[in-house]
């Protein structure tokens, strides 16, 4: 892997996806899709066996062939037993997401003029291990080499903070996307970005606002005509699209209309912004409540927050901005593009973590060294002026690509690229934190199962834990350690994400010590080592987060995805 | 093989979320559908739900359907198995309700025929099959230490398989109730597996019964057979239909008027005789009352018709066994055969049916009994409803007449009144009963009545005063 090999930063969103890369000048750039747009709807239409279309074309088909269109699949990532059937074949959420990723990958490869495989993919901070594992599997199925899975708020903070380094500040990343919601408080200290606290709801997003409007209009129609457009798949999709547009309109206007036409009956529903806010008030309250919880977790108050970053298209709703302004007493930062900053941050994270010798980073370090040494340029003493350095030709703009970031982002400009000036990239360290506690199942004194938390929620990564336990019974010759994820005190309240068994031990008396080590790295791999203290026998298992598919299933899915025609 | 319990629970919960009773209703299927129809319906629904999984009205249902799709496919591989297990689940759910009803009835002591039939109707309404009802009734009777109705109070039960070996007891006119002996080798030998089914035995009828009565039995058993599991029910229905056809063919028109109810019942009000014909040709509601006054001969085995030449029971291994401590009686208790020997042993003074009106508070009424048999036996007094009680419940031997106190508690009875029966049964099996048809009034109507009476009295008083005044002036 060369240090200037491209790392794609991919924001795999519930409603829209985006991708970015960091050019050799150190500037992150959003990569346009084949349709020339910076974001791609995360919608697929299967029009034949082994053939599908992703993006805007799929969205058009939702009102024609709703049974073969899939959207919001991110809400089912990591969910057991959930599959969708198209033309006689079942697809898991990972396989469906893989087709979206494949479309992004193919578009990026075409635009950048080379095959791109390395990627950093983002997930909501509140995704659990199964959901993260499923996302990683999706990347693998799509033919990507997923270098990291990082949290979306972290990526957004990287995108924001890469030019804000130096001053210490607390940043709240308020990420309300199409299907998920996260609030993360991060601290920028020097070149370091670390997570203080995080919380969220993996099932709250702009879709829920849409649904409220759909229900409101449908109930109005039902009262008037005793017919419910939600009962028909096509009528529902038409209604949904109209309500979605109405929601977007209400972000800039005070009122709009939603026309409904179903079974020969027509109705126009007048919707005012105040009404919309009224029917979605409880959703906003959930956001408020979560924000307050995050502050509590981090032992902070609103005055401690220096900046509020809005991420996700749903933060464009005036009610959300007003809510945050009211709670915090600050105006949220709208300088970064809420749709693109996550992808940008993911690309930057890919470089910081996996391309330590990226040319832009090297240039930065060289600049620092030179300044430190006091290196000066040689004087010119009346002789012939030195020949001007040849101006390198401006790089050919890739087809459809936009150089630099949109909307005031931290961007390179074509001019700076054309000048050949090597922009350096501020190196950044960033730390993620666990959003779900990790524990172990033990037996208490009453011989009842209990969950003991070993790595609490909010623990910064990487982190190691070492704990001493004891054999529960006499004459044990094997021991099994069950690794849990989630808050809870008993087995039913948590998820067992892995097991380590140490066997072949000499019979041990009850109470003989046994050590358990948890080592949780930034690469989302949990190493669990179990050591029999007396003999020194140990066993280590790397628990990578599984999304529910076995290796052979992933391989088979990858083969199938490769054969599929994805437009 | 029954469906996995967990799968059934998931399906039940899913149907509850979807607002449907079961998967058949959810998929718009008939419970008798074929496996192909069921799978096809599942596929269609799956396609529909896929398009609805983001629909706020259907998303929970759609996601649950999709996630459990494989399980539903497995459950409907054989829809009949699902239907059967569904019935079992339904039964299990409602069984505690039935048990409560039986226990409540058992508080009054031995059950009467009417009570058993009433409980059977309860069970039917609760969707509990006959086998389960019989099993539950037997279990609770055993626990209570009581017994099923004596000879003249026979629970009407459908044909049971002769997998339970029973001694075939010919009709003997015995006066004492005997429980069936436990199955034994000798008893088993008396059973002939291959004996042809006697149509009267199948219908639970006696040969001397009127065709109309037999038809009633036939319809009753047919109805119960249809609640049996698929496969079993069809066999029984076919047998019943065949038996009825044979009986109907054998019967002559004269049979329709044949009355086998024995000596006419005594009209207790007037002392006049009531023709057996009229009391049977048009059974009055509730018909069970009529049956109770015509006690069946004791010792009658269920599958054998009362009368001579009864065929032994053939084995029907497909039906569940019946505990041998339960006395299974023939269903032919409906207006019965030859007059019992002890008819007229007990006389209840007053009308056989009494209309009573109650308000909010309980009332008590006297009831006078007279024993005509010597020496006067002991007896037990039972009620068919919890709101109607009689004290004392046990009558000591040696007394010719007794006075009972009947209590009607309106708080325990249905709001619009009801009907219940007090039955007195001697140890010899003779019985008599009286029915109370109770109408509930309300305090408000009583108050209104008082007001009206008061106004009327006031008017009368004013009129008198006016008259006196007029006379005085005159």
């Amino acid at each position: 892997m060369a240090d200037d090999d491209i790392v794609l930063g991919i924001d795999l969103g519930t409603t829209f996806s985006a991708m970015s890369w960091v050019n050799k000048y150190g500037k992150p750039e959003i990569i346009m899709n084949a349709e020339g747009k910076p974001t791609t709807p995360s919608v697929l239409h299967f029009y034949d066996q082994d053939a599908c279309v992703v993006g805007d074309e799929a969205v058009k088909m939702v009102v024609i062939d709703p049974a073969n269109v899939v959207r919001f699949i991110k809400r089912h990532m990591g969910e057991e037993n959930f599959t969708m059937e198209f033309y006689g074949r079942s697809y898991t959420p990972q396989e469906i997401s893989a087709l979206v990723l494949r479309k992004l990958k193919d578009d990026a490869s075409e635009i950048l003029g080379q095959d791109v495989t390395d990627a950093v993919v983002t997930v909501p901070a509140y995704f659990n291990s199964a959901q993260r594992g499923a996302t990683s599997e999706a990347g693998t199925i799509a033919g990507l080499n997923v270098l990291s899975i990082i949290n979306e708020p972290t990526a957004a903070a990287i995108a924001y903070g890469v030019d804000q380094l130096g001053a210490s500040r607390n940043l709240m990343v308020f990420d309300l996307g199409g299907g998920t919601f996260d609030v993360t408080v991060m601290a920028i200290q020097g070149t370091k970005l670390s997570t203080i606290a995080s919380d969220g709801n993996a099932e709250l997003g702009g879709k829920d606002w849409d649904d409220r409007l759909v229900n409101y209009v449908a109930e109005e129609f039902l009262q008037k005509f005793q017919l419910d457009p939600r009962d028909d798949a096509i009528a529902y999709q038409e209604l949904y699209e109209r309500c979605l547009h109405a929601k977007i309109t209400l972000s800039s206007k005070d009122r709009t209309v939603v026309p409904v036409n179903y079974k020969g009956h027509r109705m126009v529903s007048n919707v005012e912004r105040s009404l919309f806010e009224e029917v979605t008030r409880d959703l906003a309250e959930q956001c408020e409540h979560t924000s307050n919880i995050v502050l509590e977790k981090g032992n902070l108050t609103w005055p401690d927050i220096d900046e509020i970053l809005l991420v996700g298209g749903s933060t464009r709703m005036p009610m959300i901005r007003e809510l945050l302004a009211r709670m915090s007493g600050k105006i949220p930062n709208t300088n970064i593009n809420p749709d693109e900053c996550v992808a940008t941050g993911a690309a930057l994270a890919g470089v910081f973590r996996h391309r330590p010798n990226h040319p832009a980073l090297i240039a930065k370090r060289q600049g620092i060294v030179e300044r430190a040494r006091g290196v000066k340029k040689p004087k010119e003493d009346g002789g012939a002026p030195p020949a001007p350095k040849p101006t390198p030709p401006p790089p050919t703009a890739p087809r459809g690509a936009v150089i630099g970031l949109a909307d005031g982002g931290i961007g390179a400009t074509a001019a700076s690229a054309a000048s050949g000036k090597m922009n350096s990239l501020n190196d950044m360290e960033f730390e993620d934190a666990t959003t779900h506690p990790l524990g172990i199942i033990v037996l208490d004194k009453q011989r009842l199962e209990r969950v003991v938390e070993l790595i609490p929620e909010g623990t910064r990564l990487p982190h190691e834990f070492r704990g001493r336990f004891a054999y529960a019974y006499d004459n044990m010759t094997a021991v099994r350690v069950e690794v849990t994820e989630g808050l809870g005190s008993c087995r039913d309240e948590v998820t067992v994400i892995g097991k380590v068994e140490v066997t072949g031990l000499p019979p041990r008396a009850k109470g003989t010590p046994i050590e358990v080590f948890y080592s949780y790295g930034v690469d989302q791999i949990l190493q669990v080592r179990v050591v029999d203290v007396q003999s020194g026998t140990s066993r280590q298992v790397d628990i990578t987060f599984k999304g529910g598919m076995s290796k052979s299933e992933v391989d088979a899915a990858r083969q199938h995805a490769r054969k599929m025609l994805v437009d | 093989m029954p469906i996995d319990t967990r799968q059934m629970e998931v399906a039940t919960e899913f149907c509850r979320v979807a607002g449907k009773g079961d998967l058949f209703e959810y998929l718009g299927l008939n419970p008798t559908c074929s496996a192909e129809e069921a799978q096809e319906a599942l596929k269609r629904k799956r396609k529909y739900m896929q398009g609805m999984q983001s629909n706020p009205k259907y998303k929970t249902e759609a996601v649950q359907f999709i996630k459990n799709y494989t399980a539903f496919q497995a459950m409907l591989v054989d829809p009949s198995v699902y239907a059967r297990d569904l019935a079992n689940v339904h039964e299990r759910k409602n069984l505690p309700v039935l048990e409560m009803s039986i226990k409540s009835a058992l508080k009054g002591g031995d059950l009467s025929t009417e009570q058993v039939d009433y409980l059977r109707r309860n069970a039917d309404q609760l969707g509990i099959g006959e086998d389960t009802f019989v099993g539950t009734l037997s279990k609770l009777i055993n626990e209570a230490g009581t017994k099923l109705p004596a000879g003249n109070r026979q629970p009407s039960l459908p044909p049971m398989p002769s997998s339970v070996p029973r001694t075939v007891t010919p009709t003997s006119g015995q006066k004492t109730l005997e429980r069936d002996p436990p199955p034994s080798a000798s008893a088993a030998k008396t059973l002939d597996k291959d004996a042809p089914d006697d149509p009267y035995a199948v219908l639970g009828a006696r040969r001397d019964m009127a065709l109309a009565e037999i038809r009633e039995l036939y319809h009753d058993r047919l109805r119960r057979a249809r609640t049996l599991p698929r496969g079993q029910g069809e066999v029984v229905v076919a047998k019943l239909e065949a038996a009825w056809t044979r009986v109907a063919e054998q019967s002559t028109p004269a049979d329709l008027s044949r009355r086998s109810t024995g000596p006419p019942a005594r009209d207790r009000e007037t002392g006049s005789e009531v023709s057996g014909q009229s009391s049977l040709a048009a059974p009055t509601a509730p018909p069970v009352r009529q049956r109770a006054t015509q006690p069946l001969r004791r010792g009658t085995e269920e599958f054998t018709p009362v009368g001579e030449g009864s065929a032994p029971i053939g084995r029907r291994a497909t039906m569940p066994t019946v505990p041998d401590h339960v006395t299974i009686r023939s269903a032919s208790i409906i207006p019965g055969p030859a007059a019992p020997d002890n008819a007229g042993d007990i006389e209840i003074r007053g009308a056989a049916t009494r209309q009573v009106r109650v308000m909010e508070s309980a009332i008590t009424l006297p009831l006078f009994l007279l024993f005509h048999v010597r020496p006067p036996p002991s007896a037990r007094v039972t009620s068919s409803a919890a709101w109607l009680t009689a004290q004392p419940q046990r009558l000591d031997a040696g007394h010719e007449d007794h006075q009972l106190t009947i209590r009607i508690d309106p708080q325990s009875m249905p709001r619009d009144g009801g009907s219940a029966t007090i039955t007195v049964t001697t140890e010899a099996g003779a019985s008599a009963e009286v029915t109370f048809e109770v109408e509930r009034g309300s305090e408000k109507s009583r108050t209104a009545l008082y007001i009206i009476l008061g106004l009327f009295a006031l008017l009368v008083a004013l009129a008198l005063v006016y008259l006196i005044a007029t006379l005085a002036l005159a």
Side-chain angles (χ1 to χ4, degrees):
Chain A
M1 187 192 305
D3 285 312
D4 57 354
D5 280 353
I6 293 169
V7 177
L8 268 186
I10 299 179
D11 173 13
L12 183 62
T14 310
T15 47
F16 286 91
S17 297
M19 50 186 172
S20 174
W21 71 305
V22 177
N23 66 19
K24 65 178 180 181
Y25 305 107
K27 292 304 174 187
E29 300 174 352
I30 288 290
I31 303 171
M32 298 300 203
N33 62 15
E35 290 77 36
K37 294 188 180 174
T39 56
T40 302
S42 303
V43 182
L44 299 90
H45 173 234
F46 288 80
Y47 59 88
D48 201 351
Q49 204 176 31
D50 299 339
C52 72
V53 64
V54 176
D56 289 319
E57 291 303 304
V59 174
K60 290 177 191 171
M61 295 305 290
V62 83
V63 294
I64 305 295
D65 186 16
N68 289 320
V69 173
V70 58
R71 52 201 312 187
F72 315 115
I73 196 64
K74 189 172 172 179
R75 278 200 161 170
H76 300 291
M77 293 292 271
E79 204 169 311
E80 277 185 36
N81 301 326
F82 186 88
T83 59
M84 297 197 75
E85 262 188 31
F86 303 105
Y87 296 95
R89 190 185 186 278
S90 276
Y91 292 84
T92 59
Q94 294 92 307
E95 289 173 284
I96 294 170
S97 295
L99 295 171
V100 175
L101 290 171
R102 166 129 172 241
K103 150 85 173 161
L104 296 173
K105 172 181 177 295
D106 290 347
D107 287 355
S109 297
E110 189 176 346
I111 283 166
L112 297 175
Q114 64 183 85
D115 190 33
V116 179
T117 51
D118 292 342
V120 167
V121 184
T122 61
V123 293
Y126 219 62
F127 256 19
N128 62 25
S129 61
Q131 290 166 314
R132 289 167 194 266
T135 306
S136 181
E137 283 169 5
T140 304
I141 293 170
L144 291 167
N145 177 23
V146 180
L147 300 175
S148 294
I149 299 280
I150 68 165
N151 293 338
E152 288 163 8
T154 306
I158 291 171
Y160 164 80
V162 72
D163 277 348
Q164 308 282 338
L165 298 174
S168 292
R169 45 179 44 213
N170 289 336
L171 183 70
M172 173 181 275
V173 182
F174 187 98
D175 182 355
L176 183 61
T180 59
F181 172 58
D182 283 320
V183 180
T184 305
V185 174
M186 306 193 81
I188 300 178
Q189 286 171 324
T191 59
K192 199 168 170 186
L193 184 68
S194 52
T195 304
I196 297 175
S198 186
D199 206 301
N201 187 340
E203 294 184 8
L204 176 65
K207 171 73 169 60
D208 299 284
W209 269 260
D210 304 336
D211 286 348
R212 292 296 174 89
L213 193 53
V214 164
N215 285 340
Y216 175 81
V217 174
E219 291 292 332
E220 200 181 325
F221 194 92
L222 181 65
Q223 266 192 1
K224 200 166 175 181
F225 301 112
Q226 288 75 55
L227 292 168
D228 192 340
R230 292 170 298 185
D231 292 338
D232 180 79
I234 290 176
Y236 158 69
Q237 294 292 351
E238 283 177 348
L239 177 61
Y240 174 78
E241 291 298 313
R242 288 176 184 176
C243 288
L244 175 60
H245 286 120
K247 179 188 79 168
I248 293 170
T249 304
L250 288 173
S251 290
S252 55
K253 294 194 159 81
D254 287 335
R255 60 177 59 82
T256 186
V257 294
V258 178
V260 187
N261 186 354
Y262 179 53
K263 287 197 173 176
H265 297 281
R266 294 177 193 174
M267 184 190 83
V268 173
S269 179
N270 295 303
V271 181
E272 295 188 355
R273 187 192 288 178
S274 55
L275 170 75
F276 175 66
E277 290 179 356
E278 185 56 40
V279 300
T280 56
R281 184 172 305 283
D282 63 305
L283 300 176
E285 283 170 1
Q286 284 185 50
C287 296
E288 181 178 355
H289 181 65
T290 304
S291 304
N292 287 327
I293 284 177
V294 168
L295 288 178
E296 265 181 52
K297 282 184 181 178
N299 289 320
L300 297 168
T301 58
W302 283 110
D304 297 323
I305 302 297
D306 299 303
E307 196 90 50
I308 300 174
L309 213 56
L310 294 181
V311 178
S314 300
T315 56
R316 290 192 172 93
M317 287 189 284
M319 66 189 295
I320 295 298
R321 297 187 177 191
E322 286 161 12
L323 169 78
L324 283 167
R326 178 175 53 76
M327 284 197 298
S328 65
K330 299 177 173 60
I331 305 296
N333 186 322
T334 55
N335 289 336
I336 63 169
N337 187 315
D339 298 322
E340 296 167 10
C341 60
V342 171
T344 302
L348 287 165
V351 167
F352 294 141
R353 194 169 272 175
H354 302 285
R355 299 284 188 269
N357 294 321
H358 190 278
L361 288 175
I362 290 175
K364 177 66 176 183
R365 286 174 213 143
Q366 271 182 348
I368 292 169
V369 167
E370 283 168 6
R371 277 199 297 280
R373 285 180 184 169
V375 170
K376 292 178 186 178
K377 286 185 183 174
K379 271 187 188 174
E380 291 173 10
D381 48 8
K389 282 187 185 166
T391 305
T396 311
R399 178 174 69 83
V402 168
I403 308 295
L405 300 180
D407 290 348
I410 322 146
T413 59
S416 68
S419 72
K421 184 178 173 185
M422 178 67 75
N423 286 333
S424 57
L425 181 61
N426 291 323
D427 208 344
M428 269 184 91
E429 291 172 58
F430 57 94
E431 281 181 342
D432 257 331
T434 56
T435 46
H436 298 276
L438 298 173
I440 186 174
I441 294 179
V442 300
L443 292 178
D444 61 18
K445 288 178 184 167
Q446 285 79 38
R447 294 288 179 269
L448 297 172
E449 278 192 347
R450 196 164 58 88
V451 174
V452 171
E453 197 175 273
L454 301 186
I455 298 183
E457 177 190 345
T459 304
R460 288 185 195 167
L461 301 177
H463 181 79
E464 270 199 19
F465 168 86
R466 175 183 170 176
R468 188 166 269 221
F469 299 87
Y471 288 94
Y473 301 101
D474 283 325
N475 299 317
M476 281 177 68
T477 57
V479 65
R480 178 165 63 196
V481 168
E482 291 180 287
V483 181
T484 66
E485 180 191 51
L487 264 178
S489 57
C490 64
R491 184 185 285 272
D492 293 340
E493 295 170 356
V494 297
T495 308
V496 174
I497 58 172
K499 294 176 191 177
V500 180
E501 288 182 354
V502 181
T503 56
L505 295 168
R508 293 282 182 238
K510 182 173 109 176
T512 307
I514 185 162
E515 283 187 336
V516 176
F517 293 84
Y518 274 17
S519 179
Y520 194 175
V522 295
D523 49 4
Q524 308 283 337
I525 295 176
L526 174 68
Q527 281 183 349
V528 179
R529 191 156 55 96
V530 180
V531 180
D532 174 63
V533 174
Q534 278 191 6
S535 66
T537 308
S538 71
R539 173 106 197 277
Q540 179 171 305
V541 166
D542 289 350
I543 297 177
T544 51
F545 297 123
K546 298 274 184 284
M549 292 176 79
S550 65
K551 188 173 182 311
S552 58
E553 286 170 341
V554 169
D555 289 339
R558 188 173 176 167
Q559 297 294 329
H560 183 261
R562 204 177 285 160
K563 282 189 320 187
M564 274 196 75
L565 180 62
V566 178
D567 293 331
Chain B
M1 170 122 22
I3 290 171
D4 178 62
T5 310
R6 178 74 192 130
Q7 277 187 343
M8 281 298 284
E9 284 173 3
V10 167
T12 304
E13 178 57 24
F14 170 77
C15 291
R16 188 192 66 78
V17 165
K20 300 292 180 190
D22 52 56
L23 285 179
F24 292 127
E25 191 185 344
Y26 181 71
L27 296 169
L29 291 169
N30 194 304
T32 55
C33 68
S34 66
E36 291 75 24
E37 286 169 345
Q39 297 299 322
E40 200 48 49
L42 272 171
K43 277 187 191 150
R44 279 197 305 270
K45 199 67 163 185
R46 163 94 194 220
K47 193 166 181 179
Y48 174 75
M49 281 302 164
Q50 255 187 206
M52 295 297 221
Q53 51 101 5
S54 63
N55 184 330
K57 187 176 176 185
Y58 290 98
K59 62 181 174 186
T60 304
E61 179 189 332
V63 169
Q64 289 304 315
F65 181 80
I66 289 169
K67 288 173 77 168
N68 292 300
Y69 180 70
T70 310
F72 295 159
Q73 275 186 311
M75 288 168 75
L76 290 176
V77 161
D78 185 353
S80 64
V81 172
Y82 174 63
R84 182 198 67 206
D85 286 358
L86 209 58
N88 289 342
V89 166
H90 195 63
E91 268 194 11
R92 276 199 301 274
K93 195 176 103 178
N94 289 331
L95 202 53
V97 177
L98 176 68
E99 284 177 352
M100 271 174 54
S101 302
I102 295 174
K103 283 177 183 171
S104 174
L106 281 170
K107 278 181 187 165
D110 284 351
L111 296 179
S112 66
T113 310
E114 295 89 343
Q115 284 174 302
V116 173
D117 283 336
Y118 173 78
L119 291 167
R120 175 172 287 107
R121 282 197 295 277
N122 259 359
D124 199 37
Q125 282 166 5
L126 290 169
I128 294 172
E130 182 64 20
D131 299 330
T132 309
F133 168 68
V134 167
T136 306
L137 183 68
S138 311
K139 181 189 88 170
L140 292 174
I141 281 174
N142 200 34
E143 283 172 9
T146 57
K147 43 193 179 182
L148 270 174
N152 60 343
R153 277 186 250 124
Q154 311 294 335
S156 51
L157 296 167
M160 296 301 293
S162 6
S163 53
V164 177
R166 295 200 179 277
T167 303
V168 175
T169 310
T171 53
S172 58
Q174 293 169 39
K175 292 189 182 180
T176 56
L177 176 64
E178 288 172 352
R179 286 181 176 252
D180 286 345
S184 61
S186 54
K189 282 178 193 168
T190 64
L191 303 176
D192 181 357
K193 269 192 235 192
D194 301 322
D197 288 334
D198 176 58
Y200 288 93
V202 170
L203 296 172
R206 293 181 309 280
R207 289 175 187 277
D208 55 356
M209 286 173 79
L211 194 62
E213 296 164 301
I214 299 174
R215 183 169 54 212
E216 205 173 319
L217 284 173
Y218 162 61
H219 285 154
D220 187 50
R221 292 194 170 202
L222 204 62
R223 184 176 55 80
R224 287 193 208 124
R226 292 203 173 105
T227 67
L228 291 171
R230 191 181 173 87
Q232 293 179 18
E234 289 158 348
V235 169
V236 175
V237 166
K239 277 199 164 168
L240 287 169
E241 287 171 347
W244 168 249
T245 305
R246 283 170 64 187
V247 167
E249 282 168 359
Q250 287 169 17
S251 298
T252 62
D255 289 346
L256 292 170
S257 59
R258 181 170 53 146
R259 294 292 167 249
S260 54
T261 55
R266 197 177 180 80
D267 178 68
R268 297 183 182 88
E269 283 280 338
T270 62
S272 62
E273 291 184 355
V274 176
S275 77
Q277 182 165 356
S278 63
S279 70
L280 294 169
T284 55
V288 292
R289 283 194 293 121
Q290 296 282 355
R291 290 186 210 126
T293 59
Q294 307 293 340
L296 195 64
R297 291 168 198 214
R298 259 75 66 198
T300 305
E301 173 47 51
E302 186 200 43
F303 295 105
T304 54
V306 173
E308 293 174 12
S310 47
I313 302 163
R315 292 188 77 85
R316 294 184 195 124
T318 56
M319 304 271 284
T321 60
V322 174
D324 56 10
H325 59 271
V326 174
T327 305
I328 308 300
R329 298 293 174 199
S330 169
S332 57
I333 56 163
I334 308 174
D341 293 339
N342 53 11
D345 285 357
I346 314 170
E347 179 187 339
I348 298 180
R349 298 285 175 84
T353 304
R354 305 182 191 190
Q355 276 81 33
V356 180
R357 186 182 168 80
V358 297
M359 296 294 181
E360 303 293 326
S361 311
I363 63 167
T364 56
L365 302 165
L367 189 69
F368 299 97
L369 295 180
L370 184 65
F371 283 113
H372 294 287
V373 71
R374 298 293 178 268
S378 62
R380 186 179 291 184
V381 182
T382 57
S383 166
S384 66
W387 51 264
L388 178 70
T389 53
Q391 292 292 341
Q393 290 184 344
R394 284 197 173 276
L395 307 177
D396 294 335
H399 300 277
E400 287 179 8
D401 56 337
H402 297 266
Q403 179 179 337
L404 305 179
T405 303
I406 304 299
R407 187 172 184 272
I408 299 174
D409 181 9
Q411 300 304 321
S412 307
M413 65 188 299
R415 193 174 289 185
D416 49 2
S419 170
T421 305
I422 295 288
T423 308
V424 181
T425 312
T426 68
E427 60 189 17
S431 70
E433 60 185 27
V434 58
T435 299
F436 292 88
E437 289 175 353
V438 182
E439 189 187 320
R440 280 189 72 173
S442 68
E443 291 292 347
K444 287 183 186 166
S445 60
R446 183 162 63 180
T447 306
L449 182 65
Y450 289 157
I451 290 170
I452 292 167
L453 286 173
L455 286 173
F456 180 74
L458 184 61
L459 279 173
V460 167
L462 286 172
L464 280 173
V465 165
Y466 175 74
L467 188 63
I468 293 167
T470 307
L471 288 173
L473 286 173

